Amino acid sequence: RDHPALRLRVIATGMHLDRSRGYSVAEVRRAGLPVDATVPWRADSSPAGTAAAMGRATAGLVSAYEKVGADVVLVVGDRVEAFAAAAAAHVAGRCVAHVHGGDRALGQVDDALRHAITKLAHVHFPATAASATRLLKLGEDRWRIHRVGSPGIDGIAADAASPAAVAAHVGPAPDRRFALIALHPTTADARTESARAESLLGAVIAKVGHAVVVHPNNDPGSDGIAGCWDAAERTDRVGAGPRKVVFHRNLPRPIWLGLLRDAAVLVGNSSSGIIEAASFGTPVVDVGPRQQGREHGPNVVNVRHDPAEVRRAVLRFWRAGRPVRFPRRNVYGGAGTGRRIAAVLAELALDERMLRKLITY
């Protein structure tokens, strides 16, 4: 947006348009970004429904690119929406730029989609040296690869809301006296995911006492987690006294970052625990295999979906109400990622050499 040689166009799809998950396209607009086109994303929480939604969105994205006049399509990570966007752009002859390629993360289909996007992308913005090396091993030209760090770290301290702003949005959250919970599905079975969510919440509350919970993404199985949170919220409202747990469908990024900064511990399996949390020194209990393979700092400990293991890990960081803090060092970089990406995009030569790829070996 700020680079004089570039014109930003924003296309919104996926969870951004889902009112049951906070309708976060409104947050994009409130941030001052124009939403130039939207592409509907109608999906149930099954794998087949997600695949069908991805196919419909691929066709819709082609029309959206025509509408906004996109020369370069910039996508991030490993989501099904990013894969649909990259596939539509590549086959339509547009340049694809990919942020966070070369990472490893098991997820559900994440690892496969991320590397598939790499093969569709014409220019790569990996966050770490290991990810850049992995792109080379995938047969990508060295001149296409620009190590830039993670956009999630860019300006993170300044962007985090003040404790007063956080309290105004979510209620009182005393510094380091609450847990932050963000759990996403790792299976498509809603019952399994609901049981895991219930046991995780019980384990955290047993040790910390208070928590702020954010609803899951829309991956298959997410309805089980969301249903558990809805039931827990109804139960908590019935009792007398202050509420122990506060639930949110979605949070503005500054509020989320403020909570991440001030929480005693982040529990769940969000990539935010792997990438952003280290910049605040916040301890993370990463539960299950979703983030398996990702680089992370010493502030992260991984445990199985087992309430006893979760309790022990939380207790280790909670330390009887005197939570552990880690040095604010992050393997995913620091400030300046946005400027570095913009500078590369502004100099791209959208010629045959760029747009026609051949594996290097």
Side-chain angles (χ1 to χ4, degrees):
R1 181 184 60 185
D2 296 339
H3 197 289
L6 300 173
R7 290 186 304 147
L8 175 68
R9 297 290 183 262
V10 176
I11 301 172
T13 187
M15 285 186 294
H16 287 299
L17 308 180
D18 189 340
R19 293 189 181 277
S20 72
R21 287 175 167 81
Y23 195 62
S24 54
V25 67
E27 299 294 338
V28 178
R29 292 188 175 110
R30 276 194 286 271
L33 298 174
V35 178
D36 300 283
T38 59
V39 175
W41 185 277
R42 297 181 300 276
D44 56 39
S45 62
S46 70
T50 300
M54 183 179 70
R56 291 189 294 267
T58 302
L61 284 158
V62 174
S63 299
Y65 299 153
E66 293 289 335
K67 176 183 176 180
V68 304
D71 298 306
V72 179
V73 174
L74 180 67
V75 299
V76 181
D78 53 21
R79 300 287 302 162
V80 287
E81 301 92 335
F83 177 77
H90 186 106
V91 177
R94 301 179 188 276
C95 180
V96 179
H98 184 208
V99 181
H100 264 292
D103 288 2
R104 297 174 70 218
L106 184 62
Q108 288 193 5
V109 293
D110 302 23
D111 204 56
L113 288 187
R114 184 189 303 272
H115 302 317
I117 294 171
T118 288
K119 301 314 299 179
L120 293 166
H122 303 95
V123 60
H124 309 286
F125 296 115
T128 70
S131 291
T133 299
R134 203 168 285 119
L135 293 176
L136 289 169
K137 291 181 177 180
L138 284 168
E140 294 300 297
D141 296 298
R142 189 178 297 274
W143 61 267
R144 297 181 185 273
I145 301 169
H146 307 268
R147 180 185 169 194
V148 296
S150 173
I153 309 304
D154 202 353
I156 189 172
D159 289 347
S162 67
V166 171
H169 195 95
V170 305
D175 185 21
R176 302 181 190 175
R177 304 292 296 178
F178 69 96
L180 184 58
I181 297 176
L183 183 68
H184 303 301
T186 54
T187 73
D189 185 77
R191 289 186 179 180
T192 297
E193 294 300 334
S194 178
R196 287 173 172 175
E198 184 177 10
S199 67
L200 183 144
L201 181 61
V204 172
I205 295 303
K207 296 304 176 186
V208 180
H210 294 273
V212 177
V213 179
V214 183
H215 272 243
N217 64 21
N218 62 351
D219 281 354
S222 59
D223 287 352
I225 299 172
C228 178
W229 295 159
D230 288 339
E233 184 173 23
R234 289 192 297 270
T235 301
D236 199 39
R237 283 174 173 168
V238 172
R243 293 170 61 190
K244 291 183 178 181
V245 188
V246 180
F247 297 86
H248 289 271
R249 299 279 169 181
N250 180 60
L251 288 169
R253 176 171 169 78
I255 300 298
W256 168 261
L257 292 178
L259 288 166
L260 187 59
R261 176 197 60 214
D262 297 337
V265 60
L266 170 64
V267 184
N269 55 15
S270 169
S271 61
S272 192
I274 304 298
I275 298 174
E276 285 98 330
S279 292
F280 297 119
T282 303
V284 176
V285 178
D286 177 59
V287 183
R290 186 177 178 90
Q291 300 301 333
Q292 182 180 330
R294 274 200 191 270
E295 295 175 76
H296 62 76
N299 63 311
V300 178
V301 61
N302 178 263
V303 299
R304 295 177 300 171
H305 281 288
D306 177 271
E309 288 193 25
V310 173
R311 283 195 297 271
R312 284 194 295 270
V314 170
L315 190 61
R316 166 185 165 188
F317 290 138
W318 176 241
R319 207 172 53 177
R322 300 183 302 278
V324 173
R325 231 51 189 175
F326 289 84
R328 297 187 176 193
R329 291 194 294 269
N330 200 316
V331 298
Y332 289 93
T337 296
R339 291 191 299 274
R340 288 189 283 272
I341 290 174
V344 172
L345 294 178
E347 297 297 325
L348 288 183
L350 303 180
D351 54 16
E352 184 170 337
R353 179 173 180 257
M354 174 64 72
L355 296 178
R356 298 190 68 186
K357 293 179 62 180
L358 187 66
I359 193 168
T360 58
Y361 56 85

